[in-house]
Amino acid sequence: LGEFRIRDLNDEINKLLREKGHWEYRIKELGGPDYARIGPKMLDHEGKEVPGNRGYKYFGAAKDLPGVRELFEKEPLPPPRKTRAELMKDIDAEYYGYRDEDDGILEPLEQEHEKKVIAEAVEKWKMEREARLARGEEEEEENIYAVNEDESDEEGAKEREGEEGQQKFIAHVPVPTQQEIEEALVRRKKMELLQKYASETLLAQSEEAKTLLGL
């Protein structure tokens, strides 16, 4: 029949169906039977509605018209997204790599690679050392564990010797004695009591007296 003729016939069928629906509604208003509920609907069931366009139906060859066929092709639904709780169910020690060595494969490979890297580093150090010796630039290696007494704090350095034969310890910062700690705690307690019970005038007078006395 051609595309345009099929479209015209499909429009005519939809027009007749709408008119039929109006008459069924009017018959019900006049007290007659409800044909919309009990009447035959074979023609309606043969039509197919486009998703999102309720009311207009395509019949027969009209469903295969260009542009209509694509409307009936349903896109696959996207996979449902998992919630955070569902994702956390799959997270265990293996997820963080704590069980990577359980299979006995990774650890030997790591050891082999470690030996290779160490051998390369030693070989590189030997070559650099030989090159420096050839140039006469070899110097005595510095002992990084030696303690230079000149670098210690002259004012606060205190050496503590225990019994004979024990190692000496050098304090590089001033260490207060037990008596100095007790005096500092007493002074702090006095200041807290003064701030709690003394008035601002009394505190000011006390500070002024200390200034005059040079305390």
Side-chain angles (χ1 to χ4, degrees), residues 13 16-17 20 40-47 57 59:
I13 294 173
L16 294 173
L17 286 176
K20 173 177 173 287
K41 299 181 180 180
M42 186 177 297
L43 187 59
D44 276 357
H45 290 166
E46 291 178 359
K57 297 183 178 183
F59 299 89

Side-chain angles (χ1 to χ4, degrees), residues 10-170:
N10 196 75
D11 291 340
E12 184 68 22
I13 294 173
N14 278 273
K15 180 180 177 182
L16 294 173
L17 286 176
R18 286 195 299 270
E19 185 176 352
K20 173 177 173 287
H22 295 324
W23 281 114
E24 290 172 349
Y25 180 75
R26 180 58 178 163
I27 292 171
K28 182 181 176 182
E29 281 186 337
L30 297 175
D34 187 2
Y35 289 108
R37 185 172 60 87
I38 63 175
K41 299 181 180 180
M42 186 177 297
L43 187 59
D44 276 357
H45 290 166
E46 291 178 359
K48 192 173 182 181
E49 293 181 354
V50 175
N53 187 14
R54 186 173 178 81
Y56 191 90
K57 297 183 178 183
Y58 291 89
F59 299 89
K63 291 183 286 187
D64 296 327
L65 291 173
V68 179
R69 186 187 307 106
E70 290 78 3
L71 297 176
F72 289 117
E73 293 178 356
K74 295 182 179 179
E75 297 182 358
L77 296 176
R81 296 186 60 182
K82 292 185 178 181
T83 62
R84 183 178 294 272
E86 292 174 345
L87 293 174
M88 293 298 293
K89 288 180 181 179
D90 300 330
I91 295 179
D92 52 9
E94 187 175 0
Y95 175 82
Y96 292 103
Y98 292 123
R99 298 178 181 172
D100 289 349
E101 299 177 357
D102 292 350
D103 54 4
I105 300 176
L106 182 61
E107 190 170 355
L109 294 176
E110 289 180 344
Q111 292 177 354
E112 182 180 353
H113 181 70
E114 183 180 359
K115 292 178 181 179
K116 181 180 178 182
V117 172
I118 293 175
E120 291 177 354
V122 171
E123 186 66 24
K124 180 180 179 182
W125 176 81
K126 288 180 178 179
M127 293 177 61
E128 292 177 352
R129 185 170 180 271
E130 291 176 358
R132 288 196 301 270
L133 287 173
R135 295 194 301 267
E137 298 178 359
E138 180 65 20
E139 296 180 358
E140 185 179 355
E141 295 184 358
E142 182 183 359
N143 185 5
I144 62 174
Y145 299 103
V147 177
N148 189 358
E149 296 182 358
D150 297 337
E151 296 178 357
S152 61
D153 190 352
E154 296 180 358
E155 297 180 358
K158 296 183 179 180
E159 299 182 2
R160 294 182 294 177
E161 269 187 83
E163 298 179 358
E164 186 177 355
Q166 290 185 350
Q167 185 179 0
K168 294 182 179 180
F169 295 94
I170 300 176

